[in-house]
Amino acid sequence: MADVRSAILRGKRAAGRLHRSFGMRERIEADGGRIDVFDTIVRSGVPLLFKPLDGLLGVFINEPMPGIMVTTKRGLSVQRFTGAHELGHCALGHSPSLDDESILRRSPFNSAPDYAQQELEADAFATEFMMPPWLFAAHFQRHGWTPAVMTDPMTVYQLSLRIGASYEATCRSLMRPGVAVIARKTVDNLLGVQPRTIKKALLGDYEPPDWRRDVWLLTEKDEGAVIEGSRSDLFVLNLTEHSGSGYVWTFDELNKAGFAVVRDEREGPDGQTVGGHVMRSITARSEGPQHGRMALAERRPWLADGAPLASFCVHYDLSGPEGEGISQAERRRLLEAA
Ligand SMILES: [Zn+2]
């Protein structure tokens, strides 16, 4: 019979050690973002390969030396969780492991399943490594989120994108001991809502080419943040526009950076009122480079050279999911060293 308590303890301790040795908490509390799973594997000196695995999400080997393989057949959040699980096997000195879909469903935090001790430990490690309580706290602080707003599927979905986990994993993690932001009943309610329903609500009448892509809702709270997602992601930018004083958000720079605006709307109080403002909502899709800077300025259009009243900028990396071969984190390291 597996010992759940000791598995959770061992997994948590190993995850905490890695967070500390790579200074992750300080970086994320300053700049936002998520735990970089693949970069941690590479920096730990463990070979990491992506391959189209059949019936498996990931593999850990320890002979003749440690190594990790992750499937290319799934989206970025599943690739990241799988990588974290395999990194757990490695950090905890485990025997080789072939891991399938079941790693996504089970968790020592939710139940006491009867499976191998080392799998319990790797599961506990993966959850704690990718979703430590302080990561939630950092994003709550930036966005002004409270436990009360975590009953809203839209907010939890936006949180999941920022921490780089699936919607389901994020919902479940919000109730685990140490985080305990919501109760199980709320988790059940949240899981009753499909991410597709949330995306539809965000996109309104815009129909994307497919519903697998994620939809980020960016607001002033994301200013200066790093957005890490996938090539086909969509962005809804909701920004206050001081139209009553003649200012409008212009997106020349957005277009130059390779974003196509697919929807552009204004909502809210009468824009003609002196001193009034509206909510400008711009939906954009990247058709350009996978890395860069998304910038917009709020200007008076007849004063092209005038100083903007406000500006909005995020840095983005839309290179996910990982393709066959070595990780992009490792490619970047090799290029920098060359
Ligand atoms: Zn495993």
Side-chain angles (χ1 to χ4, degrees), residues 84-273:
H85 178 96
E86 306 308 339
L87 177 61
H89 282 314
C90 184
L92 292 156
H94 287 165
S95 313
S97 183
L98 304 175
D99 294 296
D100 62 19
E101 289 283 321
S102 63
I103 64 167
L104 304 177
R105 297 283 169 270
R106 65 194 194 203
S107 162
F109 296 101
N110 296 339
S111 52
D114 187 23
Y115 52 88
Q117 185 72 15
Q118 78 159 30
E119 292 309 314
L120 272 180
E121 292 182 1
D123 289 345
F125 173 92
T127 300
E128 187 71 19
F129 182 66
M130 250 179 79
M131 295 172 278
W134 55 260
L135 180 67
F136 289 109
H139 285 278
F140 275 42
Q141 189 166 16
R142 169 182 277 269
H143 290 272
W145 288 330
T146 59
V149 300
M150 289 298 144
T151 53
D152 176 18
M154 175 73 78
T155 310
V156 175
Y157 173 63
Q158 292 304 316
L159 169 65
S160 76
L161 298 181
R162 283 156 181 80
I163 64 172
S166 70
Y167 174 70
E168 185 179 342
T170 306
C171 291
R172 295 195 190 285
S173 224
L174 282 170
M175 74 166 185
R176 77 178 208 262
V179 181
V181 166
I182 49 178
R184 180 178 290 271
K185 190 172 169 293
T186 308
V187 175
D188 293 341
N189 291 342
L190 289 169
L191 292 178
V193 180
Q194 293 297 314
R196 181 174 170 150
T197 309
I198 306 169
K199 295 175 196 178
K200 276 195 149 150
L202 279 166
L203 293 175
D205 53 12
Y206 173 69
E207 183 86 21
D210 66 75
W211 288 99
R212 284 189 304 277
R213 52 191 72 205
D214 279 311
V215 185
W216 296 73
L217 175 61
L218 301 179
T219 70
E220 277 102 350
K221 297 279 171 53
D222 290 294
E223 167 65 29
V226 183
I227 297 299
E228 293 152 301
S230 294
R231 285 178 265 282
S232 54
D233 288 358
L234 291 157
F235 299 89
V236 177
L237 293 102
N238 276 1
L239 300 166
T240 305
E241 189 169 79
H242 301 83
S243 51
S245 342
Y247 287 94
V248 294
W249 284 99
T250 55
F251 38 84
D252 305 349
E253 290 178 67
L254 198 65
N255 291 334
K256 269 184 222 146
F259 284 89
V261 173
V262 296
R263 183 163 162 261
D264 182 9
E265 287 178 348
R266 288 187 172 84
E267 291 165 24
D270 179 8
Q272 299 309 307
T273 315

Side-chain angles (χ1 to χ4, degrees), residues 14-43:
R17 272 197 298 275
L18 276 180
H19 291 147
R20 283 190 297 277
S21 63
F22 291 110
M24 292 182 187
R25 184 170 180 168
E26 294 72 18
R27 182 184 61 76
I28 288 175
E29 284 178 349
D31 305 331
R34 60 189 185 175
I35 303 287
D36 196 333
V37 175
F38 306 136
D39 191 50
T40 308
I41 296 173
V42 172
R43 287 166 76 188

